[in-house]
Amino acid sequence: MTPDSLPWWSPEAHSRRRSHLAARGRIKARLRAWFEAEGFTETEVGQLQRSPGNEAHLHAFAAAYRAENGRETPLYLHTSPEFAMKKLLAAGETKIFDFARAFRNRETGAHHAPEFTMLEWYRAGEGLEAVMQDSTQLSRLAAEAAGTGALNWKDAVCDPFAEPEFLTLVAAFEKFAGVDLEANLTDAAGLARAAKAAGVNTPEGASWTDVFSAVLVTRIEPNLGQGRLTFLYRYPVSEAALSRPYPDDARFAERFELYACGVELANGYRELTDAALLRQRQGAEMELKQAVYGERYPLDEDFIAAVAAMPEASGVALGFDRLVMLASGAQQISDVLWTPVPVEGLA
């Protein structure tokens, strides 16, 4: 048996992973201490929800509650703690964080796992700049706690202590793909032609989002977070369902993603508080899910009502396992999971 084919619980495999797991503990303790020093309250939201989330391309694990009379209530393991945490904002919490277990079906790979830890936090009454600063600080603390002083992935190195790079989506598409995104914000065929000219081919009749994603994944993301952190921000509003549009240009939304070594680490929003617009966006996402995958998830009416009662806020979802992986120098996400899920594609 080769070292990579051994089960994770074998002494040899565990010994190989042990330093990364120890770094995970140090990083978690350092980040938790920082949040507490900043006046945040730690939450522990439930994992079983009426709706797992309403993004077309995220897939959930279904469950059911069975009462003593045999009646079943369909439930899901959430794909993120977002819905529950925003309900807590509506309830009156103002600064909260959670090391939440999250579950996504159909996801395995070097930096994907079907069960993972999402570090999510919210600041009521503050904008994206505040949570961007949080994200930078947490990246630095992770590198310090791991003892590496840097973030590493394969042959790439990112210095989180360097001044971060800030790129809009429009600037990134122009810089790395030569694609004029702004000129094709509502034109799928035009964006597909521009993508093809940049060497990115998509199927005939591909949706605007599919073309956008193909360019983003193949031409943009590998260039981000190289040498220093990159904040990719000002997303087309169609790609930011739960964030509010910019007041100066409603075609774009107040959303960012944080990258290190070409790996997405975090996703942040200036939170949408327009319940009617939220219902419209989530309904459209579920229509797309039905068309593409033949299924849909229910809308969480409590969540929609809570959004209308929420204060203005900004929040971030950070892939904690990915951060540990890059800070500790691990080569795959299973190296930083204490007990990896026993599925194909996740060693």
Side-chain angles (χ1 to χ4, degrees), residues 240-319:
L242 295 176
S243 61
R244 64 172 55 197
Y246 275 98
D248 64 336
D249 190 340
R251 298 175 303 165
F252 297 95
E254 294 191 67
R255 175 192 177 188
F256 74 82
E257 287 190 310
L258 172 64
Y259 288 84
C261 304
V263 177
E264 179 205 338
L265 285 180
N267 183 23
Y269 292 158
R270 178 85 181 274
E271 303 299 343
L272 182 68
T273 55
D274 183 331
L277 181 55
L278 173 66
R279 182 185 295 277
Q280 175 187 329
R281 288 180 178 180
Q282 291 199 326
E285 284 288 303
M286 290 302 93
E287 289 296 329
L288 177 59
K289 190 174 192 68
Q290 183 69 50
V292 175
Y293 302 107
E295 63 176 343
R296 64 196 308 145
Y297 302 137
L299 300 186
D300 184 339
E301 295 296 338
D302 279 350
F303 172 60
I304 295 173
V307 163
M310 268 176 55
E312 291 193 6
S314 294
V316 180
L318 183 149

Side-chain angles (χ1 to χ4, degrees), residues 11 23 38 41-42 49 53 71 84 107 124 149 151 154 159 169 186 210 218 220 222 256 295 297 302 307 313 320 331:
E38 289 289 309
T41 298
E42 184 169 7
Q49 301 289 333
R71 182 177 178 180
E107 293 196 8
L151 303 177
K154 297 184 177 177
D159 179 4
L169 265 294
T186 59
D210 287 342
T218 61
I220 312 301
F256 74 82
E295 63 176 343
Y297 302 137
D302 279 350
V307 163
F320 179 68
Q331 292 301 300

Side-chain angles (χ1 to χ4, degrees), residues 14-247:
H14 186 67
S15 176
R16 179 178 61 82
R17 302 189 311 124
R18 189 62 175 77
S19 64
H20 302 302
L21 297 171
R24 179 189 183 98
R26 296 195 303 272
I27 293 169
K28 190 173 188 179
R30 182 74 66 88
L31 269 53
R32 174 177 278 122
W34 181 86
F35 277 111
E36 291 173 349
E38 289 289 309
F40 282 79
T41 298
E42 184 169 7
T43 67
E44 295 181 276
V45 302
Q47 297 164 3
L48 286 170
Q49 301 289 333
R50 293 176 182 172
S51 175
N54 294 112
E55 295 184 46
H57 302 295
L58 288 187
H59 304 281
F61 289 90
Y65 169 73
R66 180 174 295 173
E68 289 185 3
N69 62 8
R71 182 177 178 180
E72 287 195 354
T73 301
L75 296 170
Y76 299 88
L77 291 171
H78 65 198
T79 55
S80 91
E82 182 173 11
F83 286 14
M85 294 187 77
K86 288 182 178 178
K87 291 173 185 176
L88 289 174
L89 291 176
E93 297 293 338
T94 58
K95 295 171 72 174
I96 52 177
F97 75 102
D98 201 324
F99 286 95
R101 305 300 291 178
F103 304 85
R104 296 184 181 180
N105 218 334
R106 308 191 190 189
E107 293 196 8
T108 57
H111 46 77
H112 288 88
E115 179 183 358
F116 60 99
T117 297
M118 182 82 81
L119 171 56
E120 192 150 328
W121 72 96
Y122 292 88
R123 287 181 177 267
E126 300 199 53
L128 276 189
E129 295 79 8
V131 291
M132 283 178 166
Q133 291 174 6
D134 293 343
S135 302
T136 300
Q137 181 62 14
L138 294 173
S139 300
R140 292 170 175 173
L141 291 173
E144 286 181 351
T148 59
L151 303 177
N152 299 271
W153 173 244
K154 297 184 177 177
D155 295 327
V157 179
C158 173
D159 179 4
F161 299 95
E163 188 66 24
E165 175 185 32
F166 293 86
L167 276 177
T168 66
L169 265 294
V170 169
F173 268 62
E174 178 61 40
K175 180 177 181 179
F176 297 119
V179 170
D180 188 341
L181 181 64
E182 190 166 11
N184 294 285
L185 276 178
T186 59
D187 183 358
L191 187 61
R193 288 192 295 272
K196 184 175 182 179
V200 181
N201 293 311
T202 54
E204 186 73 25
S207 69
W208 190 95
T209 292
D210 287 342
V211 179
F212 170 87
S213 297
V215 177
L216 181 65
V217 169
T218 61
R219 298 297 302 275
I220 312 301
E221 289 186 334
N223 295 291
L224 303 180
Q226 302 296 342
R228 57 178 175 159
L229 296 170
T230 297
F231 285 95
L232 191 64
Y233 73 104
R234 205 173 175 92
Y235 273 69
V237 73
S238 62
E239 306 307 306
L242 295 176
S243 61
R244 64 172 55 197
Y246 275 98

